[in-house]
Amino acid sequence: MSKTYTTINVRNEQTTTWITLDRPDKLNAINATMLQELSEALDTTEKDTNARCVIITGKGEKAFSAGADITELRKLTQETAAELSRKGQQVFSQVETLSKPVVAAINGYALGGGLELALACDFRLASIDAELGSPEIKLGIIPAWGGTQRLAKIVGVAEAKQLIMLGDRVKAEEAVKMGLVDKVVPPNKLEAEAEALTQRLCEYPPTALKYAKHAINSGTQASFEYGLKKETEFFAQLFSTKETKEKIDAFISQRNKKEGDC
Ligand code: COA
């Protein structure tokens, strides 16, 4: 039986696990409980061999997530602020390093920690009325759940500075132009588009997808040389898997058949 959470909702649909941030009256603001529950749900999903892809979204029409729960920020000291930062970094790194593709279906505001969560995902689809941004500077703080690093990697240093240091929100269509989201879709198509994407991903061998993801991440996380080494290591390892050999054989025998038909 699947576990019941208080701030998120987890459901398995065929080979995809949906994780929905579920505090719609607070625009799915991420509090300490939600961080912990996300971590547990990701652990469970990692171990679940039926789960081939993950979609993360927010409940309601208004928000993916409006960020860290500001009411919890009020009580922070220097020490507890560092703990909260490390915890958020650890949970969002779980998203980034999950061995399965993760899609963010951004159904409204993705602000602050909400954007940081989306940035840790492999793919970002946004509803046309979504707005994204890092408004932390307006509270006198900075993104601290990996946002300063991931945003710069994804959209480049110049755009990241604009977003983080000015705190302006961008609408979904502008976010696509910046490379912050991959695709914009009508609100009523968001779930179906996310599902279609995971279905395409599920057609490919999970080990190859896992290694593709890890090789890309290794290269951007450490040095370029380290990334190249990991790329070689994972590429070589794939040749010990049955799926890779089958895929290559199938491609070649299809071509041979076509040539024979001519
Ligand atoms: N933390 C805690 N509660 C939040 C929240 C957050 N980050 N963002 C929104 N909420 C709560 C509001 O307090 C409000 O709760 P209430 O009804 O009990 O008063 C509820 O969610 C709805 O938000 P509201 O501000 O009334 O909606 P809006 O449509 O007028 O504005 C936003 C939407 C997103 C522009 C606005 O809520 C906002 O700026 N939120 C903060 C975003 C932010 O700074 N995030 C980074 C945090 S580090």
Side-chain angles (χ1 to χ4, degrees):
M1 209 178 74
S2 65
K3 190 175 165 188
T4 310
Y5 298 100
T6 58
T7 62
I8 61 172
N9 180 275
V10 180
R11 70 176 203 275
N12 296 308
E13 281 193 10
Q14 292 162 359
T15 49
T16 297
T17 296
W18 283 79
I19 300 179
T20 305
L21 310 181
D22 192 2
R23 295 182 76 209
D25 53 328
K26 298 291 173 196
L27 303 189
N28 302 316
I30 302 170
N31 60 13
T33 309
M34 188 184 282
L35 270 184
Q36 183 52 36
E37 290 188 343
L38 269 174
S39 180
E40 288 170 24
L42 290 162
D43 267 346
T44 307
T45 307
E46 181 65 64
K47 290 178 202 135
D48 180 356
T49 47
N50 292 323
R52 299 267 304 273
C53 287
V54 178
I55 300 173
I56 301 181
T57 193
K59 178 105 172 253
E61 282 161 19
K62 215 169 154 187
F64 175 76
S65 168
D69 190 319
I70 298 171
T71 60
E72 290 190 350
L73 299 183
R74 288 184 80 187
K75 316 165 222 154
L76 294 182
T77 63
Q78 203 170 333
E79 224 169 50
T80 53
E83 274 167 30
L84 178 67
S85 169
R86 281 192 288 269
K87 178 70 183 175
Q89 286 177 354
Q90 173 245 311
V91 178
F92 292 1
S93 288
Q94 264 180 281
V95 174
E96 192 171 64
T97 59
L98 201 80
S99 67
K100 307 154 195 227
V102 185
V103 177
I106 304 169
N107 53 309
Y109 290 117
L111 302 176
L115 177 61
E116 293 181 282
L117 173 57
L119 291 172
C121 297
D122 301 302
F123 300 91
R124 280 168 290 284
L125 301 181
S127 139
I128 192 141
D129 48 19
E131 288 189 31
L132 300 89
S134 286
E136 290 92 338
I137 202 82
K138 295 181 180 173
L139 298 170
I141 54 176
I142 63 169
W145 290 342
T148 60
Q149 305 308 298
R150 290 196 182 97
L151 192 58
K153 266 176 213 149
I154 291 169
V155 299
V157 169
E159 298 276 26
K161 284 183 178 166
Q162 292 263 344
L163 284 167
I164 293 174
M165 296 170 74
L166 295 174
D168 294 336
R169 298 201 295 259
V170 292
K171 293 194 188 305
E173 283 186 329
E174 199 185 335
V176 168
K177 288 186 202 141
M178 295 166 71
L180 188 54
V181 303
D182 308 320
K183 191 174 176 187
V184 173
V185 299
N188 61 351
K189 298 261 166 65
L190 183 64
E191 284 202 5
E193 284 274 349
E195 248 159 26
L197 178 57
T198 57
Q199 267 161 26
R200 274 197 68 195
L201 289 161
C202 284
E203 284 169 18
Y204 300 121
T207 315
L209 283 175
K210 175 177 82 175
Y211 284 160
K213 171 170 172 166
H214 288 346
I216 294 167
N217 289 346
S218 303
T220 54
Q221 268 151 17
S223 70
F224 182 64
E225 284 72 23
Y226 178 73
L228 290 181
K229 272 192 198 138
K230 294 308 277 184
E231 194 179 72
T232 304
E233 187 185 314
F234 292 146
F235 181 71
Q237 278 182 33
L238 283 169
F239 283 83
S240 68
T241 68
K242 211 168 84 203
E243 292 115 325
T244 299
K245 292 211 171 93
E246 280 170 3
K247 292 269 171 204
I248 294 171
D249 286 348
F251 181 84
I252 291 167
S253 56
Q254 221 172 20
R255 287 191 78 100
N256 287 345
K257 194 169 158 279
K258 267 191 207 150
E259 274 163 25
D261 290 346
C262 291

